[in-house]
Amino acid sequence: MNLVETCFRKRTVTIGLAVALAIAGVRSYFNLGRLEDPEFTIRCAQVLTAYPGATAQEVAERVSDPIEIAVQRLGRVKHVTSISYPGKSIVLVELKDECIGSELPQIWDELRRKVNDMAGNLPEGCSKPLVYDDYGDVYGVFYSISGDGYTYAELKEHAKFLRKELLLCSDVAKIDLLGDQQEIVEINLSRAKIAALDIPPEKLAAVLRGQSVPEDAGDLRVADKTIRISPTGSIKTVEDFGGLMVIPNVFLRDIATIRRTYADNPGILVKRNGRPSIGFGISTAKGGNVIRMGEAVEKRMRELVAETPIGIEVDVISHQATSVKVAVNGFIENLIESVILVIAVLLFTMGLRSGLLIGGVLILTVLATVFVMDVFGIMFERISLGAFIIALGMLVDNAIVITEAVLVAANRGESKKDAAIAVVKQTQWALLGGTAIAILSFAPIGASQNASGEYCRSLFLVIGISLLLSWVLAITVTPLLAARFLTGGAAGVRALPQTDPYSGWFFKGYRNLLEWCVNNRGFTLFALACLLVASVIGFGRVKQNFFPDSTRPQFMVHVWMPEGTFIPKTDERVQAVAEAARKLPGVKGVSTFTGG
């Protein structure tokens, strides 16, 4: 028995499944993950190695070249690029495009093994190579933590407290702190006193080194118990350094000034509106909902306001959840408008009942697609939502063919049920072929192994899923509804033809145009060739841009200084630019990141 006949015999079950599919689609709409842009794989890693005191040439010959040779033994490497600085080596590793995301952890582990195996051949004084492959994390929410009168250490303590609390929020993957300055103890020795007391530098180094290394003092047995001996006198505060005895009756405070400070040349400086800050970046878990994560973080932050020290401010630098919400809602509004427009055209061209029927099947197709997206983990983002808008015009094609055939039969007085069954049997495989061709036209996007293919893959998947579902619903639900709701025709008795449904002025005009084109085929072919040439020329004038322009009310300005410039000196130039930007009309805030 044919599928459509089964649907008619089990019409209650068919309608029930359609309603259940619609309800599942609505539920999936609220559960589906949301991102601004699709997730895609970063196939790059860095190998960082420090070689203090070496020149750039020495770093290149003794460090970068051996690491490059080891990395090139990795089978899937596409490019290896090394940058050698005085005292530092950076080796950039890029994998081939066919490496999929699930394979990367194993590949990076193999890279670490190969680098660690050759690390023993590096020169003395060279640090252990560090493989950095964590490029894929995007900060869904980024805060700055600042406060007048607070030191970096105090700001960092509050940042660590916030990190401990916010890591428990839904869909939070990890939290990074940027700009937390390294604290050091600065000891400025008096050369005159050292010379007068004849204290060798090695003696001072030994005294300081001995205080930084914990030593096991052993155990003491008392009766049937063992008591661990923990010596006192360890360094607890900066003042304790002054009590270190360098030579008999001479303490470190007698020959040096000691103070607690920060490293002279920091790795990165973060400032918000000119105030020293600590950056607080929260990344979303893979496959998570950035909107749900942002709302959970905001809620927890409001609850922690009471525990925030007076004077410390937590400002939002970037809140992707808000941007994603605006972008997704904008796309959904466009999608709804497109659906309404399609239904309006159908009402105008096919009549009230036919238009509402096809429009209802269109909405059911969209909801069914959302349900399948939820099942396979395809999220709402720019590309997948754009795919809906692209596919809307094609999603109604199959339903129109079935509905039109049933409508013609009804106008002729024929049985709508028999007509529906007959037209589905006659056209179902032809409709499937046309649907498959439409899907395969987007196959190059889905089959592409490069970054653009991975970024746009949801376009192919959503269009493919929705078009296949439109065909399934066209041969199951559509004929059932058409036989039930379209007017005209007998309930089960075939009648003689009454009127020609194609006798109207529109069909006559269209038939005359086709006949004229066939009779004047030379002119028709020439006109089509001209249109083809015009299309090719016009396509060359279309602006090409892979990523769309950002819609966020934010701008980024890059400031470059000569290689080797002192970071605080670079920060002076950056703050001058930031101060000029803050004076511009409409600017709410300026955040700066120097170094990195």
Side-chain angles (χ1 to χ4, degrees):
M1 183 177 294
N2 191 274
L3 178 61
V4 65
E5 294 176 335
T6 304
C7 291
F8 272 98
R9 290 184 68 251
K10 305 288 186 179
R11 66 183 65 190
T12 303
V13 175
T14 303
I15 296 300
L17 290 175
V19 172
L21 194 59
I23 295 173
V26 173
R27 183 177 178 275
S28 296
Y29 168 79
F30 293 102
N31 290 337
L32 211 58
R34 286 162 168 79
L35 291 174
E36 188 172 11
D37 293 296
E39 294 179 330
F40 60 96
T41 305
I42 306 296
R43 301 176 177 85
C44 298
Q46 286 185 346
V47 183
L48 309 177
T49 313
Y51 189 17
T55 64
Q57 183 69 27
E58 291 172 334
V59 170
E61 294 175 352
R62 301 182 184 180
V63 180
S64 298
D65 287 350
I67 292 178
E68 278 195 61
I69 294 172
V71 169
Q72 287 170 351
R73 294 172 184 167
L74 198 66
R76 303 193 183 186
V77 171
K78 181 179 180 180
H79 294 299
V80 179
T81 305
S82 65
I83 306 174
S84 300
Y85 299 94
K88 181 174 63 176
S89 166
I90 301 177
V91 178
L92 307 176
V93 183
E94 182 181 355
L95 300 180
K96 295 179 180 178
D97 293 335
E98 57 265 24
C99 296
I100 60 178
S102 59
E103 297 176 331
L104 290 188
Q106 181 179 355
I107 295 175
W108 297 139
D109 286 343
E110 185 179 352
L111 173 64
R112 286 185 174 88
R113 288 197 300 270
K114 292 187 178 299
V115 171
N116 291 334
D117 289 344
M118 58 75 56
N121 299 326
L122 294 177
E124 186 177 354
C126 187
S127 70
K128 182 179 179 181
L130 174 64
V131 178
Y132 179 62
D133 60 76
D134 200 4
Y135 280 93
D137 291 329
V138 176
Y139 296 137
V141 180
F142 198 93
Y143 293 111
S144 69
I145 302 175
S146 60
D148 293 330
Y150 286 89
T151 64
Y152 275 111
E154 293 168 332
L155 294 176
K156 184 177 180 180
E157 284 302 313
H158 186 62
K160 289 165 64 177
F161 165 73
L162 292 179
R163 178 168 61 183
K164 181 182 67 174
E165 295 293 331
L166 297 181
L167 278 172
L168 302 176
C169 293
S170 174
D171 289 338
V172 171
K174 70 174 186 177
I175 299 176
D176 293 328
L177 304 182
L178 281 76
D180 53 323
Q181 303 305 307
Q182 181 184 2
E183 287 190 281
I184 61 172
V185 176
E186 185 178 84
I187 302 175
N188 292 314
L189 298 168
S190 171
R191 293 185 179 181
K193 293 180 180 180
I194 291 176
L197 296 172
D198 192 23
I199 301 175
E202 295 80 7
K203 176 66 175 178
L204 293 172
V207 170
L208 294 174
R209 190 182 305 113
Q211 296 299 319
S212 60
V213 179
E215 293 288 347
D216 185 11
D219 300 324
L220 179 65
R221 183 175 179 181
V222 179
D224 57 346
K225 294 183 179 181
T226 301
I227 301 175
R228 180 177 178 272
I229 299 176
S230 180
T232 60
S234 60
I235 301 295
K236 301 293 185 182
T237 65
V238 175
E239 289 73 19
D240 291 341
F241 280 94
L244 295 177
M245 184 177 291
V246 180
I247 58 175
N249 299 323
V250 177
F251 298 93
L252 187 60
R253 60 173 171 265
D254 299 329
I255 60 174
T257 57
I258 306 169
R259 68 187 184 102
R260 185 175 186 168
T261 183
Y262 299 98
D264 289 337
N265 198 17
I268 182 172
L269 290 173
V270 179
K271 293 185 179 180
R272 174 68 174 175
N273 293 329
R275 296 192 304 178
S277 307
I278 289 181
F280 193 83
I282 307 174
S283 57
T284 310
K286 184 174 180 60
N289 188 330
V290 69
I291 295 179
R292 184 167 57 236
M293 184 272 284
E295 292 174 348
V297 168
E298 283 183 339
K299 179 182 177 181
R300 187 60 182 144
M301 287 292 288
R302 288 193 296 268
E303 295 171 351
L304 295 174
V305 168
E307 301 186 46
T308 302
I310 297 175
I312 288 185
E313 297 182 8
V314 181
D315 296 324
V316 176
I317 293 179
S318 176
H319 203 292
Q320 191 185 30
T322 303
S323 302
V324 171
K325 198 171 186 178
V326 172
V328 170
N329 290 344
F331 266 107
I332 291 175
E333 289 176 5
N334 292 336
L335 178 60
I336 294 174
E337 292 171 357
S338 300
V339 171
I340 294 174
L341 182 61
V342 170
I343 294 176
V345 173
L346 291 171
L347 292 174
F348 177 75
T349 56
M350 299 194 65
L352 178 62
R353 288 177 177 259
S354 299
L356 292 177
L357 188 152
I358 298 173
V361 174
L362 172 62
I363 295 174
L364 178 60
T365 304
V366 172
L367 292 176
T369 304
V370 172
F371 169 69
V372 176
M373 289 172 61
D374 191 17
V375 171
F376 288 98
I378 305 172
M379 291 184 284
F380 278 148
E381 24 79 5
R382 294 180 191 268
I383 304 301
S384 62
L385 288 170
F388 274 114
I389 298 176
I390 293 173
L392 276 181
M394 297 180 285
L395 293 181
V396 296
D397 290 347
N398 294 326
I400 287 176
V401 172
I402 304 298
T403 304
E404 173 71 9
V406 177
L407 186 63
V408 170
N411 289 335
R412 288 175 175 171
E414 300 177 7
S415 167
K416 291 176 289 184
K417 175 182 175 180
D418 293 342
I421 295 174
V423 73
V424 169
K425 288 182 177 179
Q426 181 181 359
T427 63
Q428 59 181 347
W429 302 120
L431 292 177
L432 179 60
T435 301
I437 290 173
I439 295 173
L440 291 175
S441 64
F442 294 91
I445 297 175
S448 177
Q449 295 296 322
N450 55 25
S452 60
E454 185 177 8
Y455 181 82
C456 296
R457 188 155 294 137
S458 60
L459 176 71
F460 168 71
L461 295 176
V462 172
I463 288 179
I465 292 169
S466 60
L467 288 178
L468 281 176
L469 287 173
S470 73
W471 176 77
V472 172
L473 295 175
I475 65 172
T476 55
V477 177
T478 303
L480 194 62
L481 296 178
R484 175 66 179 83
F485 293 106
L486 293 183
T487 58
V493 180
R494 182 177 297 276
L496 295 174
Q498 296 176 350
T499 59
D500 184 2
Y502 299 111
S503 60
W505 62 269
F506 178 80
F507 294 104
K508 288 181 178 179
Y510 183 59
R511 184 183 294 111
N512 293 334
L513 175 62
L514 290 178
E515 291 177 351
W516 186 89
C517 291
V518 172
N519 295 331
N520 299 273
R521 65 191 65 183
F523 178 81
T524 303
L525 293 175
F526 175 75
L528 291 176
C530 292
L531 289 175
L532 177 62
V533 173
S535 300
V536 173
I537 296 174
F539 184 77
R541 297 178 179 272
V542 175
K543 181 181 178 181
Q544 298 183 12
N545 186 19
F546 181 68
F547 285 99
D549 293 335
S550 175
T551 56
R552 293 191 188 186
Q554 293 178 323
F555 296 89
M556 184 175 291
V557 178
H558 293 274
V559 179
W560 297 92
M561 298 289 283
E563 181 70 27
T565 303
F566 196 45
I567 292 295
K569 189 66 177 178
T570 303
D571 189 58
E572 292 179 9
R573 175 65 63 87
V574 171
Q575 295 309 313
V577 176
E579 182 64 27
R582 282 197 295 270
K583 296 178 181 178
L584 297 175
V587 174
K588 293 177 60 178
V590 178
S591 304
T592 61
F593 302 83
T594 308

